[in-house]
Amino acid sequence: MIWNEEYETMPREALESIQLKRLQQVVTRVYQNVEPYRKKMDEAGIKPEDIRELRDIEKLPFTVKDDLRDNYPFGMFAVGLEKVVRVHASSGTTGKPTVVGYTKKDIETWAELMARTLAAAGVNSGDVVHNAYGYGLFTGGLGFHYGAERLGATVIPISGGNTKRQIMIMRDFGSTVLTCTPSYALNIAEVLYDSGIDPKDLNLKVGIFGAEPWSPKMREEIEKKLGIDAVDIYGLSEIIGPGVSVECVEKKEGLHVFEDHFIPEIIDPETGEVLPYGEKGELVFTTLTKEAFPVIRYRTRDITRLIAEPCICGRTFYRMEKVSGRSDDMLIIRGVNVFPSQIEHVLMSVEGVEPHYQIIVDRQGALDMMEVQVEVSEEIFSDEIKVLEGLAKRIEQDLKETLAVSCKVKLVEPRTIQRSEGKAKRVIDKRKI
Ligand code: DLL
């Protein structure tokens, strides 16, 4: 179902004229109200009047996470706190969190975008949404909550954790929609099987999973184990939270970006150049309508490409391909660039290997060492040592072929790698400590 036909199926030309008008407005607003933006634009010799066509966006300076840190906590808000009705924050890997703010109207916009998101996944007012994203400073819980209410669905604000109780509630309340991270969905599936409950006894029909990268193979696993459609949702606190882009359940291929509110660009992460249409690179977003915390050309570090091809669902918004990794997630192992997503891809193509793994990086003397710990199924684990060793060797070879660097593979007993209740921690890099 399409929640907002008028905007979501708007002809491109009309959409682009709205985008230009809104871009001019937001650039003027940040220039007038947010000192760090004014300073950067003055340094670059750009005035709001220089934005005459959409392509002029390329003249504007980028915004990066450090800009937000340097102006912690509220220094990049474009309105006074008396207009801010909510703050959220995302915990970075280092130091202080990134703080974002919303006016009353921003909360309205967000609820609208999340209603569109849920509708794209096939949710309607008769559905019971089991919302297991974390409630709190994280944007996931409350983002979905407001969207589900706007749509008129019944929302269960369960938040993350206490998986057994989640399952009881899911069964007793007849939840039809599951919203959580993909790693937590797998965790729930596992506990479900342990409790001897057949997923068919539940009412679940669809899950909307995001907030972390997950491979197409992981989707297959979740869909099979829970007997549902699994749809990908993308977003980040700096832009609004969840509700930046989502797959439609009709196609499940590429996430429609809500382009009437956000302009996406793809740049070369090394040079900052905008890449020609269709190329893979770093995703950059400009918000067009946000009042409290507008952002101009924010570098997400997420790697993807844009798809302009029309979609069977009827939405005219461009799609972004499933995020394949982050430019700053890249590990450098003995000089070779390695992405965790490449490792996941290799692991998931091996029979008997479970989707639970962890990558441990350490340094021995001057040499980087990488160990991939991965769970195998009960059957494999109870096999002879020789069989296990053979399998580990095979995965080591496959990884070496893909990554061009060698690593050690350790097959571990089922259920030994810590399960996630929110975003999974895949990499432990001991070199930095
Ligand atoms: O994770 C917002 C969100 C909540 C999205 C619930 C979807 C569902 P942050 O905590 O600020 O916000 O983290 C943002 O998470 O830059 C990506 O690296 C990653 N990420 C989010 N969604 C996806 C996805 C929320 N579908 C960061 N695929 C982003 C891959 C994702 N990575």
Side-chain angles (χ1 to χ4, degrees):
M1 188 193 82
I2 296 183
W3 177 253
N4 190 327
E5 285 270 350
E6 185 192 345
Y7 280 91
E8 294 182 76
T9 62
M10 184 173 271
R12 295 291 308 177
E13 211 172 301
L15 175 66
E16 283 168 15
S17 104
I18 289 180
Q19 284 183 317
L20 177 61
K21 205 171 94 214
R22 291 181 171 177
L23 179 66
Q24 289 164 333
Q25 285 167 349
V26 72
V27 171
T28 307
R29 220 166 51 238
V30 297
Y31 190 79
Q32 285 168 353
N33 302 330
V34 189
E35 219 217 290
Y37 281 115
R38 186 166 51 241
K39 216 169 131 224
K40 271 198 185 188
M41 282 174 61
D42 284 344
E43 275 164 17
I46 303 291
K47 291 269 174 285
E49 309 80 79
D50 295 332
I51 306 297
R52 293 194 197 92
E53 49 175 353
L54 272 181
R55 282 205 59 166
D56 290 335
I57 195 172
E58 294 178 23
K59 297 180 183 160
L60 294 163
F62 291 117
T63 307
V64 294
K65 205 168 188 105
D66 273 345
D67 293 321
L68 311 188
R69 284 210 190 100
D70 293 346
N71 295 289
Y72 173 86
F74 307 139
M76 291 188 74
F77 286 10
V79 298
L81 278 190
E82 72 284 356
K83 293 227 165 64
V84 173
V85 298
R86 172 109 60 89
V87 292
H88 280 284
S90 77
S91 47
T93 40
T94 48
K96 303 270 195 204
T98 305
V99 186
V100 299
Y102 303 77
T103 62
K104 232 181 209 152
K105 181 158 166 264
D106 292 335
I107 297 282
E108 289 280 310
T109 306
W110 194 16
E112 147 83 16
L113 295 180
M114 286 308 293
R116 288 186 191 178
T117 295
L118 287 152
V123 180
N124 60 46
S125 59
D127 278 305
V128 179
V129 179
H130 188 95
N131 187 18
Y133 281 108
Y135 280 66
L137 283 177
F138 177 54
T139 51
L142 284 166
F144 269 90
H145 187 101
Y146 276 62
E149 284 190 352
R150 170 66 68 93
L151 189 82
T154 308
V155 55
I156 308 174
I158 187 108
S159 198
N162 201 344
T163 312
K164 283 212 166 100
R165 186 160 157 271
Q166 300 249 357
I167 288 170
M168 178 190 81
I169 288 188
M170 225 185 277
R171 188 156 67 164
D172 294 350
F173 294 12
S175 310
T176 54
V177 182
L178 173 62
T179 55
C180 62
T181 58
S183 56
Y184 192 47
L186 275 177
N187 185 348
I188 291 178
E190 204 168 63
V191 177
L192 199 66
Y193 279 85
D194 287 349
S195 330
I197 299 168
D198 188 335
K200 287 199 198 83
D201 294 340
L202 302 178
N203 254 342
L204 285 184
K205 63 172 190 190
V206 67
I208 310 172
F209 306 122
E212 63 184 7
W214 52 309
S215 61
K217 278 271 180 197
M218 184 92 97
R219 184 200 317 258
E220 271 176 41
E221 283 278 329
I222 296 175
E223 293 193 328
K224 196 171 73 198
K225 288 193 165 141
L226 288 175
I228 57 173
D229 275 311
V231 168
D232 193 6
I233 171 173
Y234 169 90
L236 61 166
S237 323
E238 293 85 340
I239 303 306
I240 201 158
V244 175
S245 67
V246 68
E247 286 177 336
C248 54
V249 70
E250 292 89 343
K251 182 110 176 143
K252 290 197 283 189
E253 207 181 292
L255 297 85
H256 292 278
V257 178
F258 295 124
E259 287 180 282
D260 50 337
H261 293 271
F262 315 109
I263 295 185
E265 295 173 87
I266 300 287
I267 63 160
D268 177 334
E270 303 291 326
T271 64
E273 292 287 308
V274 175
L275 292 174
Y277 164 75
E279 279 188 32
K280 204 166 182 162
E282 182 181 332
L283 181 63
V284 169
F285 274 114
T286 299
T287 67
L288 295 175
T289 50
K290 273 203 314 173
E291 293 182 334
F293 189 74
V295 279
I296 305 293
R297 301 196 87 200
Y298 184 71
R299 293 189 55 164
T300 65
R301 303 284 167 196
D302 294 317
I303 305 292
T304 184
R305 66 160 65 93
L306 293 177
I307 308 168
E309 235 170 80
C311 181
I312 49 167
C313 70
R315 287 178 183 78
T316 46
F317 294 147
Y318 284 178
R319 284 171 285 159
M320 54 181 257
E321 197 178 76
K322 212 171 190 348
V323 171
S324 59
R326 287 178 60 83
S327 59
D328 57 358
D329 252 8
M330 189 179 76
L331 291 161
I332 303 183
I333 309 291
R334 278 169 261 146
V336 180
N337 298 350
V338 171
F339 287 95
S341 57
Q342 294 174 293
I343 296 178
E344 177 171 318
H345 188 79
V346 170
L347 295 178
M348 297 294 291
S349 60
V350 181
E351 189 71 32
V353 166
E354 299 285 315
H356 303 287
Y357 66 95
Q358 206 153 45
I359 302 159
I360 293 149
V361 186
D362 209 345
R363 190 161 279 160
Q364 280 179 6
L367 206 60
D368 295 326
M369 306 294 284
M370 180 165 69
E371 181 176 273
V372 177
Q373 300 185 346
V374 59
E375 288 183 15
V376 287
S377 63
E378 292 284 357
E379 303 87 73
I380 298 219
F381 199 78
S382 52
D383 260 330
E384 285 174 45
I385 299 254
K386 243 170 59 193
V387 177
L388 280 174
E389 279 177 352
L391 181 63
K393 282 265 155 329
R394 212 193 95 204
I395 302 175
E396 279 173 7
Q397 264 165 19
D398 287 354
L399 283 172
K400 189 164 182 192
E401 265 170 40
T402 305
L403 309 176
V405 65
S406 58
C407 67
K408 193 171 171 327
V409 169
K410 188 171 167 194
L411 303 181
V412 298
E413 219 171 319
R415 318 294 167 94
T416 39
I417 288 174
Q418 201 185 351
R419 296 297 184 257
S420 98
E421 291 180 346
K423 302 196 190 215
K425 186 162 171 52
R426 303 286 192 200
V427 180
I428 300 176
D429 195 339
K430 297 183 177 163
R431 293 176 301 181
K432 287 181 197 139
I433 304 163

